Amino acid sequence: MSAQPVLFIHHANDMYGADIGLLHTLKSLDPNKYYPIVILPSDMPATGMLSSELDRLGVEYHIAPLGILRRKYLTARAILPLALEFLKGVAYVRATARSRGAALVYINTIVTVSGAIGGKLAGVPVLWHIREILAMPRPVRWMIYKAISLCADRIVCISRAVRDSLLKEAPTLAKKSVVVYNAVSVATGTGVGRGIGLREELEVPHDAPLVGMVGRITHWKGQEILAEAARLVLRKHPDAYFVAVGSYFADESHYLSKLESLINSLGLDDRFRLADYRPNVTDVYRALDIFVLPSIKPEPFGRVTVEAMTQGRAVIATNHGGSCELIQEGVTGMLVPPSDPKSLAAAIELLLADRPLREKMGRTAAVYAQENFGLAGYQDRMRDVMDRLVAAG
């Protein structure tokens, strides 16, 4: 029997959490059963890193108008063009699902609603992979959750925090939804030794403590909180350095400027580095002594936290959202209140002052991450979810 087509509808063309999650799902497919076809949005080509990786893997993909529900479009001026793009997306997915004989339409983020409606109208089972804790105006949230209720035949949530957020708005979806934690597939660390490549690039002395974070340069990720905490830490640890690694959305360059101004105003120009996104994040984690994720809003999962844990790094994250499911307080890492530079600084100071503690914490974190967030387990669970849905459809 020939492989059955599966349409994967995605919201971006980048290489962050949801994009990596999509690649992990694609790699879990049995090529004898399924033939993947990825549809990417035309409104936001971004870096093109995802499409480049799809080319490398030999995965068929198409760029099409999808009307992705991005916050920047929810204005009086942008709403009509968004509605037209949205309708085009519904029609495109419906027509493609029918013409290609799709066995399943796989929606990879909560905001790709047009793909779900298109799949439903085509009479194809819809699997909705929810990777967000939604923070949008109530009418938009109502529309999205209504679409999930009407269109989704099965729902995968990347953490209990995401599922709880979903069921708070739509409790009737309890039986349709399941939690499957993201997989983390970066190379496993062998200990707590440092890498020097990033340090040399950033001109950070090899023997200096380095504290850092990885993530999109955007307000809710908390780079400003780290900068404010850095100023406090340097009073007791004047030899420490700090780094925030990540790129920014083209329409959010103002936030980068704001962050740079804050770093300057705090007198941190020679101690706080900003570095662009890089595909080999293991080099970043291995250069750090402590990894932090000071997110202001709840993390749906916190992939970078687990990536740092796999490299034997002690981690500090804010105590809400998915981070609470990843970190065993005081054992594999530390949790601090969000938007609280003093508490973050205190946690950093504790770990900087106690090297045996942070190294023990890092070793324990590495074992925990490898045992609970491996790629093989994720692939088995996703194959089972998809097989059951296709068989039932």
Side-chain angles (χ1 to χ4, degrees), residues 2-277:
S2 60
Q4 302 179 82
V6 175
L7 298 189
F8 289 84
I9 319 300
H10 189 54
H11 78 302
N13 190 356
D14 225 324
M15 197 53 71
Y16 281 88
D19 314 284
I20 295 169
L22 174 63
L23 290 173
H24 285 165
T25 303
L26 291 171
K27 292 174 182 178
S28 74
L29 297 179
D30 181 346
N32 295 315
K33 285 185 178 180
Y34 303 118
Y35 175 81
I37 303 168
V38 177
I39 301 175
L40 302 176
S42 57
D43 74 309
M44 201 169 186
T47 63
M49 285 187 287
L50 177 58
S51 56
S52 295
E53 183 64 13
L54 295 176
D55 281 328
R56 191 186 70 80
L57 295 173
V59 174
E60 179 184 344
Y61 68 90
H62 303 273
I63 309 294
L66 290 174
I68 304 299
L69 301 181
R70 308 189 199 281
R71 183 177 291 274
K72 66 178 182 178
Y73 296 145
L74 303 180
T75 65
R77 177 177 295 181
I79 197 69
L80 180 57
L82 172 64
L84 294 174
E85 286 279 291
F86 185 91
L87 292 175
K88 289 178 182 178
V90 171
Y92 182 87
V93 173
R94 176 178 178 271
T96 304
R98 287 185 169 180
S99 66
R100 300 299 293 269
L104 181 69
V105 170
Y106 188 112
I107 308 302
N108 196 52
T109 59
I110 202 169
V111 294
T112 46
V113 177
S114 62
I117 296 174
K120 193 69 174 179
L121 292 176
V124 177
V126 173
L127 172 60
W128 208 319
H129 205 144
I130 299 181
R131 304 177 179 276
E132 302 92 345
I133 295 175
L134 198 58
M136 283 189 172
R138 178 167 291 278
V140 179
R141 293 205 312 272
W142 179 88
M143 184 190 77
I144 290 175
Y145 288 120
K146 191 68 173 178
I148 295 171
S149 299
L150 293 174
C151 298
D153 296 289
R154 191 64 165 152
I155 301 163
V156 173
C157 300
I158 63 172
S159 66
R160 292 195 305 272
V162 168
R163 186 172 185 266
D164 290 346
S165 175
L166 171 71
L167 298 185
K168 182 179 179 180
E169 299 278 352
T172 59
L173 296 177
K175 291 183 178 180
K176 285 186 178 182
S177 58
V178 63
V179 173
V180 179
Y181 285 118
N182 283 331
V184 174
S185 59
V186 296
T188 302
T190 57
V192 293
R194 290 175 177 160
I196 62 173
L198 181 70
R199 287 172 172 264
E200 290 182 340
E201 178 186 329
L202 300 179
E203 299 181 347
V204 174
H206 181 59
D207 59 349
L210 181 59
V211 180
M213 63 179 294
V214 175
R216 177 81 70 179
I217 303 292
T218 189
H219 173 71
W220 77 272
K221 284 294 184 180
Q223 285 89 358
E224 291 172 294
I225 304 300
L226 178 58
E228 292 171 2
R231 178 177 61 86
L232 301 175
V233 171
L234 285 167
R235 295 173 181 174
K236 294 184 178 179
H237 299 272
D239 57 340
Y241 285 77
F242 298 82
V243 62
V245 178
S247 61
Y248 58 92
F249 289 119
D251 60 341
E252 290 189 358
S253 59
H254 63 281
Y255 178 67
L256 177 62
S257 299
K258 181 182 178 184
L259 178 60
E260 290 171 336
S261 296
L262 176 65
I263 291 169
N264 177 263
S265 69
L266 293 174
L268 300 175
D269 286 332
D270 63 337
R271 289 306 174 102
F272 197 112
R273 309 285 198 257
L274 296 176
D276 200 2
Y277 171 88

